[in-house]
Amino acid sequence: QTTTVQQTKQKRTLDRKTMGDIPPEITTAHLLLRGLVPSLLGCPVGEETGGGGGVRASAFQMTYRKDLPKLGVEGGGLTGKVSWNLGKRHGTDNAALSLPRDDDEGSSSSFGETCEEFYSALEAAANRLISESPGVTRYDFDSEDGAVERLGSMVLDAGQVAARDKRAKKARKAEAAGEDAEASPPASVGRIESGGSTMSLALLHGPTLLPLSELGRLEILRSDPRAESGIVCNKRKCEVSVKFAVYPAGDGGGAAVETSPVPDSVDTREAMSKEIRAGEGLALQEAAVARAMARVSTSDPPESAAAKSQDGGGGTKDEEMVVTAFEVSGAIDYGKLIEKFGSRPLTPHLLRRLENVTVARGTVPRLHRFLRREIFFSHRDIERICELLEGWYGVSPPDEGEVAGNVVAPSEMAVPSGPCPIYLYTGRGPSSAAMHLGHLVPFLFTAWLQRAFQCPLVIQMTDDEKFIFKGEYDPERSGDGSTGPDPCRTGDNLDHFANLTMENARDIIACGFIKDKTFLFSDLDYVGRMYPNIVRIWKAVTVNQVNGVFGFDGMSNIGKAAFPAVQAAPSFGSSFPNVLGSEDDDAGREANLACLIPCAIDQDPYFRLTRDVAHKLVPRNHPLGGKPALIHSKFFPPLQGATGKMSSSDANSAIFLTDTPEDIERKIKVHAFSGGRETKKLQEELGADLDVDVSYQWLRFFLEDDDELARIGREYGSGKGEYWSTGAVKARLVEVLKEIVSEHLGRRSGVDDGVVREWMTERFLK
């Protein structure tokens, strides 16, 4: 056979090594994949110190030894193989990425295609990093024990753990026999930093480490899933195997990485993150979500009892689930959304931790009803927010197993020293003059969070976004340059959205925020302060990433592709130097503040993209690595059915804050979809289907009394008692809504343009 130039380079590389030495290209490629594969999967790089919480790589298979005779065959030579066991249940407990499942009902060709997508993405990510050549560092230790003690057991793969266990067993036998135990051997650890964060940290298998650029090209070998790379993913087992081949850039004579002093500590928070950290992985996840949505659109969801008994309304089997940043419709499966978006559920213990830093500190009397009733149900990094607040107050977290509900608020509020380590960020896209009750949900909860945490808050009014997506141009509206009140006006309606900002701001202010701790701003006015961070985000995110997440194409205006960076910028405290900063000498403090964003889960795609590049916009010691934390709400259902979310574009789907008491009563009685039965007899026998009954679902959002809500649900669901009927439940809802809207309008009446401008004045918050 003819030997190619590349194969000749491989042979020269191998000729200068003995069989006992692992080629440095193999050592370096293994270190790269040890960090890159978990980055793509969205799982920690090995186990944390003390065990648990991670996915450890398998023992390294040095396949280059048996592949040496195949130097004349493509793919032979510099090869290695490693795998990751992600556990049971399709790996969903340990990996954020939705992997192809070999037990799906779809065709085997579909499984093969998605496996190919994964390995193509992994190969592309590896070669991108080789091209970018991020920093590679080597640390030498006198003993392997010293390396593990300093850096943790995450540096070990399963084979190295087994070897340590074997040495420990021999040491115990030697000690029992009064003999000297085998000393822990010297060890070297390699580290790869990408974007200022540790991507990979691992005990090296070979004596020499190279810069990534020396690898030239890396190929994922996948023609035979049994012998090369393959995925096994089902309910019993999920394992990803990777066999690779390296094609060095030169003749193998590149300079090795020199030894660096061992630092006191290495920040591994990014590497230990349980989220997808590689852009190629995010693209894979978006493709998986798209496939899942396509499956949902062609399948029949379970039909509720009430839906079987009547035509029309919510929850019918014909309605598909669609959840994107721009559209929400259909019967929503929130468990599936958590799985597909890669967020995590709010557990009872997390609620107890929130209670520990709020109710137990005397800032609020109890957890908000939205938390008590799982209306806010999902999160990203809430446990890290709790850690910061626990440190601020100087309190320990509650014991595992403790749940919320038993804490009695003290009579006096705790006052910790120093400023709060977090701030809140929420916003509103002003698309109509009148806001509806669905718009109030995140603002009511954010106002509670602000009181509970006693922290600053920034509220973004995205008038720019609404113009980009909904703006209009009419040449007849443009000025003639000489006559009229505004002769130089353009023919667009940008000013319309700026005016809506002022109108909506009145409703937002009326939600009860703390003025001294709140900055409300219009993008059209404030974007200059945020522009440096917007530019940084533009630099860090590719057009393909934005299009993949939001579905833009060549027909979209450039503003749509650019806007996600504008919405991401308030996630970074450095966007508000004169708001979140300090009037004292603590310059730059705002850059290290952690951000918490309460939002409906359809807004999560904006911030998944933000979190992927966040480390590039903050100092290295930022407590969350720059990533904003999120807490997600369920959707507030429209009147016509407990699916999708309420919309301003359909007046009969919503209760607006400008509706009269008569409007409220009419809309509820006429348009609120009922989960009750067709006849009194059936209602008394079967009770209502509470899951699809809009009146009951709205009471879950707005009725404060838990005992009363439980009673209504019990009686309506059984068809017995005072609230046995739809009419009685609707009547109670009308009373609750009239009171809420009346009180809101009372507060709003005191908010004029002058008050709005005060809230929108750039100033240091307390």
Side-chain angles (χ1 to χ4, degrees):
Q1 291 182 338
T2 302
T3 303
T4 66
V5 173
Q6 185 64 63
Q7 290 159 359
T8 301
K9 290 179 180 178
Q10 280 191 324
K11 190 166 192 319
R12 283 204 304 268
T13 301
L14 293 171
D15 283 345
R16 58 189 180 80
K17 304 172 181 68
T18 67
M19 285 294 292
D21 286 339
I22 299 177
E25 293 84 0
I26 295 293
T27 298
T28 307
H30 179 255
L31 174 65
L32 171 62
L33 291 172
R34 278 281 303 272
L36 180 57
V37 173
S39 294
L40 207 70
L41 293 170
C43 63
V45 181
E47 292 188 344
E48 297 177 87
T49 302
V55 176
R56 195 183 297 285
S58 70
F60 182 36
Q61 300 178 40
M62 302 176 193
T63 56
Y64 72 92
R65 289 173 174 167
K66 67 179 182 180
D67 286 337
L68 276 172
K70 297 188 290 185
L71 280 175
V73 180
E74 185 176 358
L78 289 173
T79 67
K81 188 175 182 181
V82 64
S83 63
W84 286 261
N85 187 338
L86 302 174
K88 300 179 181 179
R89 294 186 291 276
H90 304 101
T92 54
D93 289 344
N94 295 308
L97 180 66
S98 299
L99 288 164
R101 300 181 177 186
D102 55 28
D103 59 354
D104 266 356
E105 294 179 359
S107 66
S108 59
S109 62
S110 176
F111 172 72
E113 290 169 1
T114 48
C115 287
E116 174 60 26
E117 286 181 10
F118 174 81
Y119 286 118
S120 293
L122 176 59
E123 188 174 89
N127 286 299
R128 171 177 59 80
L129 288 168
I130 291 171
S131 175
E132 293 173 357
S133 193
V136 178
T137 311
R138 171 188 175 132
Y139 307 123
D140 288 344
F141 293 85
D142 293 335
S143 69
E144 187 179 289
D145 289 345
V148 173
E149 182 179 352
R150 177 68 67 88
L151 300 176
S153 65
M154 68 171 287
V155 301
L156 304 173
D157 64 26
Q160 292 162 338
V161 169
R164 283 174 59 79
D165 290 344
K166 186 175 180 180
R167 283 199 304 272
K169 185 176 181 180
K170 287 183 176 179
R172 288 192 294 271
K173 287 184 177 180
E175 183 179 1
E179 300 172 354
D180 292 334
E182 178 185 352
S184 175
S188 297
V189 171
R191 178 187 183 191
I192 298 176
E193 293 182 85
S194 179
S197 300
T198 299
M199 187 197 78
S200 185
L201 190 70
L203 201 70
L204 299 179
H205 280 277
T208 307
L209 185 63
L210 299 173
L212 290 188
S213 58
E214 290 294 317
L215 295 184
R217 180 171 66 87
L218 186 145
E219 180 183 355
I220 305 299
L221 305 178
R222 51 193 186 274
S223 59
D224 182 357
R226 290 171 298 180
E228 296 179 339
S229 303
I231 295 175
V232 177
C233 185
N234 49 57
K235 292 181 179 179
R236 299 182 303 276
K237 178 183 180 182
C238 186
E239 184 176 70
V240 176
S241 299
V242 177
K243 184 174 181 181
F244 63 90
V246 181
Y247 299 88
D251 61 1
V257 173
E258 298 293 334
T259 299
S260 296
V262 180
D264 293 334
S265 64
V266 174
D267 186 355
T268 60
R269 287 177 297 180
E270 185 77 15
M272 295 306 299
S273 168
K274 295 181 180 180
E275 298 200 11
I276 298 170
R277 304 180 288 282
E280 292 82 357
L282 291 171
L284 285 174
Q285 185 70 333
E286 293 299 333
V289 171
R291 283 192 294 269
M293 295 305 182
R295 286 197 297 270
V296 171
S297 68
T298 57
S299 62
D300 291 339
E303 191 173 10
S304 69
K308 291 177 182 177
S309 67
Q310 52 191 300
D311 295 327
T316 63
K317 68 179 182 179
D318 295 325
E319 293 191 74
E320 63 184 72
M321 178 175 77
V322 177
V323 179
T324 71
F326 309 112
E327 180 185 0
V328 175
S329 62
I332 309 301
D333 184 334
Y334 289 103
K336 182 171 288 186
L337 280 182
I338 286 179
E339 178 182 348
K340 297 305 179 185
F341 280 10
S343 60
R344 298 189 178 276
L346 274 176
T347 63
H349 182 65
L350 269 179
L351 294 182
R352 175 67 184 87
R353 290 188 73 175
L354 285 171
E355 189 178 54
N356 191 44
V357 293
T358 56
V359 180
R361 304 306 117 206
T363 55
V364 288
R366 63 190 306 197
L367 289 181
H368 198 280
R369 60 182 179 272
F370 292 167
L371 292 173
R372 304 196 304 268
R373 297 169 190 171
E374 298 183 359
I375 290 170
F376 276 80
F377 71 106
S378 165
H379 77 97
R380 295 183 187 275
D381 283 337
I382 281 292
E383 72 280 0
R384 301 294 302 277
I385 295 295
C386 289
E387 288 174 12
L388 291 171
L389 293 171
E390 287 160 355
W392 188 41
Y393 280 111
V395 298
S396 299
D399 294 335
E400 290 289 340
E402 288 190 36
V403 296
N406 298 318
V407 173
V408 177
S411 57
E412 294 185 6
M413 183 189 304
V415 182
S417 61
C420 185
I422 73 167
Y423 72 99
L424 299 169
Y425 159 38
T426 190
R428 157 85 177 139
S431 57
S432 62
M435 291 171 59
H436 58 60
L437 289 176
H439 295 141
L440 281 190
V441 169
F443 290 116
L444 292 175
F445 185 62
T446 302
W448 180 87
L449 286 174
Q450 185 184 49
R451 293 192 300 274
F453 296 152
Q454 290 294 299
C455 65
L457 161 70
V458 295
I459 303 174
Q460 180 183 40
M461 303 298 289
T462 58
D463 32 25
D464 54 343
E465 175 206 23
K466 290 305 177 184
F467 174 71
I468 289 168
F469 281 82
K470 297 185 176 183
E472 299 174 350
Y473 177 80
D474 182 355
E476 296 299 319
R477 287 201 300 254
S478 61
D480 61 9
S482 60
T483 61
D486 186 7
C488 296
R489 65 187 179 277
T490 62
D492 60 50
N493 62 341
L494 178 60
D495 288 346
H496 167 69
F497 295 99
N499 292 332
L500 290 182
T501 286
M502 296 296 289
E503 284 299 312
N504 288 182
R506 292 186 175 89
D507 283 312
I508 293 170
I509 292 169
C511 289
F513 297 105
I514 304 171
K515 183 178 180 180
D516 290 343
K517 295 182 181 293
T518 305
F519 175 52
L520 194 154
F521 65 96
S522 154
D523 280 346
L524 292 175
D525 292 336
Y526 189 74
V527 71
R529 287 286 192 198
M530 300 190 295
Y531 193 67
N533 279 343
I534 292 171
V535 171
R536 292 183 177 105
I537 297 165
W538 284 337
K539 174 67 174 175
V541 179
T542 67
V543 174
N544 284 342
Q545 284 177 293
V546 173
N547 291 348
V549 171
F550 299 106
F552 301 143
D553 55 31
M555 298 302 294
S556 302
N557 65 57
I558 60 175
K560 291 182 179 181
F563 177 74
V566 181
Q567 184 156 328
S571 306
F572 304 98
S574 55
S575 294
F576 305 96
N578 298 327
V579 174
L580 300 177
S582 172
E583 294 179 283
D584 302 323
D585 295 331
D586 192 9
R589 179 181 68 87
E590 69 279 0
N592 268 329
L593 291 178
C595 177
L596 172 61
I597 305 172
C599 62
I601 196 167
D602 61 326
Q603 295 301 295
D604 186 74
Y606 279 105
F607 301 110
R608 292 206 304 274
L609 198 65
T610 306
R611 287 167 61 89
D612 189 46
V613 301
H615 60 277
K616 297 184 178 181
L617 283 87
V618 295
R620 290 191 179 186
N621 62 336
H622 188 283
L624 271 69
K627 294 181 178 181
L630 292 99
I631 183 167
H632 302 125
S633 74
K634 297 178 180 177
F635 303 119
F636 187 55
L639 283 171
Q640 286 86 348
T643 61
K645 70 175 183 178
M646 187 177 285
S647 171
S648 297
S649 61
D650 184 352
N652 288 324
S653 77
I655 299 295
F656 289 88
L657 299 177
T658 53
D659 282 346
T660 65
E662 293 75 23
D663 289 333
I664 294 172
E665 187 165 359
R666 175 185 57 81
K667 288 185 178 182
I668 296 301
K669 288 184 176 180
V670 174
H671 297 291
F673 179 74
S674 170
R677 308 298 164 175
E678 289 182 305
T679 66
K680 178 180 179 181
K681 183 174 183 294
L682 285 174
Q683 175 65 16
E684 290 176 338
E685 288 179 359
L686 302 175
D689 185 340
L690 302 182
D691 290 336
V692 301
D693 189 274
V694 168
S695 298
Y696 176 75
Q697 292 299 322
W698 280 30
L699 285 170
R700 291 188 70 245
F701 277 82
F702 292 121
L703 181 61
E704 177 62 32
D705 191 319
D706 289 341
D707 293 335
E708 183 181 3
L709 180 68
R711 177 191 166 201
I712 292 172
R714 185 170 58 250
E715 294 181 357
Y716 191 30
S718 66
K720 298 173 178 62
E722 179 183 355
Y723 293 104
W724 72 274
S725 69
T726 298
V729 176
K730 284 188 174 184
R732 182 67 183 107
L733 176 61
V734 168
E735 292 175 358
V736 171
L737 297 185
K738 284 182 178 179
E739 182 179 359
I740 288 174
V741 173
S742 174
E743 291 178 353
H744 180 85
L745 290 175
R747 292 189 296 269
R748 190 186 193 278
S749 64
V751 183
D752 57 21
D753 285 352
V755 172
V756 172
R757 282 191 286 270
E758 290 175 7
W759 286 68
M760 298 181 76
T761 299
E762 187 178 7
R763 67 207 186 278
F764 288 111
L765 300 181
K766 295 183 179 179

